[in-house]
Amino acid sequence: MIVPVNQPLIAKNSLKYVTECIKSGWVSSQGKFISSFEEGFAKFLQVKFATTTTNGTNALHLALASLNIGSGDEVIVPNLTIISCPLAVLYTGAKPVLVEVEKQTGNIDVSKIESKITKKTKAIMVVHLYGHPAELDPILKIAKKHKIFVIEDAAQAHGATYKGKKVGSIGDVGCFSFYANKIITTGEGGMLTTNNEKIFKKAMLLKDLAHSPKKRFFHHHIGFNFRMTNMQAALGLAQLEQVDKYIEKKRWMADLYNKLLKDQENLELPIEQDFVRSVFWMYAVKLKGKIKRDFLRKKLLDFGIDTRTFFFPLHRQPVLKRKIPLNYEAFPVSDDLAARGFYLPSGLAITKPQIYFVSKTIKKILNGI
Ligand SMILES: *Cc1c(COP(=O)(O)O)cnc(C)c1O
């Protein structure tokens, strides 16, 4: 493979910090890197509270559980996202309710949310897809009107801003992932962020088996073990020191792809709305015209260029079709994006010659030369 779809950068201090854990024996979920990473992340996000989890999927589950969402409740979820979002809802016993996305960014279509709200709706889960923030202000307004929570899934959008504020700090709870292909990585890992002390305290309780604060090994709640290790936090802290540089790299990558591909009329390039600063987690494009997406992807692979399709829409997921009745509801925008969308190599380690090579090869294939 000449150009992999993703290649992470591992920050210089990683080895030093992780070695420190091993040498000191603090390898499990206690140790100084946990609190340094959490405090550093809260500061980066400008949010009052942050607590680590074992991964992004668990951060979503923990957020829902900390909001006391469970059996009999409903949670609004955008239809074009990773399976983690509806799974987290299902883990709590609540029901995911799918909402169509809008065609430019693939984020939740705000105009379609309110008709899906019922007496059972407890929260809207917003995903900032591919690093482009969703339209939070109207979503917050709807949530306020119906007295429901907003959970931001910012797993692809560390450091992206909406009207000057970092996503994950704007709704009631923010959730992040530190999987290897995310903006910063801990190998596997996640974070829950909030400005609400009550939610934070509940999350702290539940993520560590819900030991009674008064009596250890005595339990009133169904807790989880979602504790990150000190070694992962050490890696996370080293990445966090570089996060602004990483975001600049992503934005540089998107600028360069934009410049090289802007004349391709059959390629829809990613946008950046006026009131946001995207982190272009992945350089996501849509193909139109005669040449089919999967044909182009296969040709690119022949040249050693790996790409990924967009997510399958949730309403087409067999596991969800069994769990939630969809009444033959149609999601034409999600279907269209899923059929035409894919992303180009976008890893943090990508080089200028690689971006030139990918762009040149795409042009060659699309123009039949
Ligand atoms: C990666 C991701 C998750 C899940 O994170 P894991 O750490 O892989 O569990 C959740 N939501 C979105 C939008 C993601 O991209």
Side-chain angles (χ1 to χ4, degrees):
M1 194 63 58
I2 302 170
V3 193
V5 73
N6 182 70
Q7 216 177 348
L9 276 180
I10 302 299
K12 191 170 95 249
N13 278 338
S14 305
L15 195 60
K16 186 171 129 201
Y17 295 171
V18 176
T19 304
E20 204 177 312
C21 298
I22 292 166
K23 282 190 174 161
S24 68
W26 291 99
V27 293
S28 197
S29 55
Q30 288 180 33
K32 69 172 196 186
F33 289 109
I34 297 278
S35 49
S36 307
F37 183 42
E38 290 173 339
E39 282 160 23
F41 199 80
K43 197 167 160 220
F44 165 67
L45 220 64
Q46 294 194 286
V47 75
K48 282 192 194 141
F49 308 105
T51 187
T52 43
T53 63
T54 39
N55 56 57
T57 309
N58 285 342
L60 291 169
H61 183 186
L62 184 63
L64 293 158
S66 302
L67 298 171
N68 299 316
I69 290 168
S71 177
D73 297 336
E74 293 177 358
V75 177
I76 304 261
V77 174
N79 191 42
L80 195 67
T81 181
I82 192 165
I83 197 73
S84 305
C85 301
L87 284 184
V89 177
L90 289 170
Y91 295 155
T92 68
K95 188 181 124 185
V97 174
L98 309 180
V99 169
E100 180 63 297
V101 297
E102 60 92 20
K103 66 171 189 269
Q104 271 193 306
T105 59
N107 283 329
I108 195 163
D109 184 338
V110 178
S111 70
K112 304 234 163 85
I113 294 177
E114 240 179 330
S115 65
K116 295 291 185 86
I117 293 179
T118 71
K119 282 202 189 78
K120 296 176 178 171
T121 311
K122 288 287 162 17
I124 305 170
M125 188 181 281
V126 182
V127 180
H128 305 296
L129 201 68
Y130 301 129
H132 188 292
E135 272 208 65
L136 282 168
D137 272 354
I139 295 171
L140 292 170
K141 214 165 136 190
I142 293 169
K144 199 171 168 195
K145 180 173 155 197
H146 295 273
K147 298 193 172 68
I148 58 180
F149 297 108
V150 173
I151 298 166
E152 287 181 78
D153 179 348
Q156 307 183 343
H158 317 56
T161 62
Y162 175 82
K163 297 189 178 170
K165 277 190 188 163
K166 292 214 169 95
V167 298
S169 76
I170 303 169
D172 296 284
V173 193
C175 297
F176 291 84
S177 164
F178 304 119
Y179 180 65
N181 68 4
K182 304 298 162 96
I183 303 267
I184 57 173
T185 186
T186 60
E188 295 278 358
M191 189 83 82
L192 180 151
T193 56
T194 182
N195 282 307
N196 181 316
E197 189 170 9
K198 214 172 124 192
I199 297 171
F200 175 68
K201 281 192 168 154
K202 189 74 186 280
M204 292 292 280
L205 178 77
L206 293 179
K207 82 167 212 188
D208 185 17
L209 301 176
H211 289 277
S212 161
K214 296 205 184 80
K215 235 191 300 182
R216 194 160 177 85
F217 305 124
F218 198 68
H219 306 265
H220 297 284
H221 301 279
I222 297 179
F224 315 103
N225 177 354
F226 289 166
R227 301 185 305 254
M228 177 184 271
T229 68
N230 197 41
M231 292 185 290
Q232 289 168 302
L235 190 50
L237 186 67
Q239 310 303 307
L240 187 62
E241 290 169 353
Q242 305 297 323
V243 67
D244 291 326
K245 245 202 259 171
Y246 291 174
I247 291 166
E248 283 317 310
K249 175 90 191 252
K250 291 282 192 187
R251 290 183 59 85
W252 165 84
M253 167 197 77
D255 266 358
L256 190 54
Y257 271 134
N258 280 341
K259 205 173 82 193
L260 297 171
L261 294 170
K262 70 176 185 319
D263 296 329
Q264 297 305 302
E265 55 183 34
N266 285 336
L267 211 54
E268 290 174 37
L269 307 183
I271 63 153
E272 186 177 36
Q273 288 167 334
D274 289 344
F275 42 88
V276 310
R277 191 166 188 271
S278 173
V279 289
F280 296 97
W281 174 60
M282 291 292 161
Y283 190 79
V285 298
K286 286 152 263 171
L287 192 60
K288 55 187 183 190
K290 278 206 206 79
I291 293 177
K292 291 287 166 254
R293 188 237 0 233
D294 294 337
F295 173 83
L296 174 59
R297 289 190 62 227
K298 197 179 161 297
K299 283 283 179 198
L300 286 169
L301 201 57
D302 290 342
F303 283 96
I305 297 166
D306 199 12
T307 59
R308 283 284 177 289
T309 63
F310 281 14
F311 294 114
F312 282 102
L314 296 180
H315 76 288
R316 301 231 171 251
Q317 299 288 359
V319 62
L320 292 182
K321 283 204 269 190
R322 277 206 314 273
K323 290 279 179 193
I324 48 178
L326 286 162
N327 300 326
Y328 304 100
E329 190 181 347
F331 293 88
V333 180
S334 314
D335 276 336
D336 177 56
L337 292 178
R340 300 192 297 113
F342 67 111
Y343 54 84
L344 306 183
S346 305
L348 282 164
I350 199 161
T351 64
K352 193 167 169 179
Q354 286 177 323
I355 295 175
Y356 270 86
F357 175 62
V358 172
S359 304
K360 198 178 80 185
T361 311
I362 289 177
K363 288 196 233 181
K364 227 167 32 183
I365 300 165
L366 288 183
N367 302 312
I369 42 175

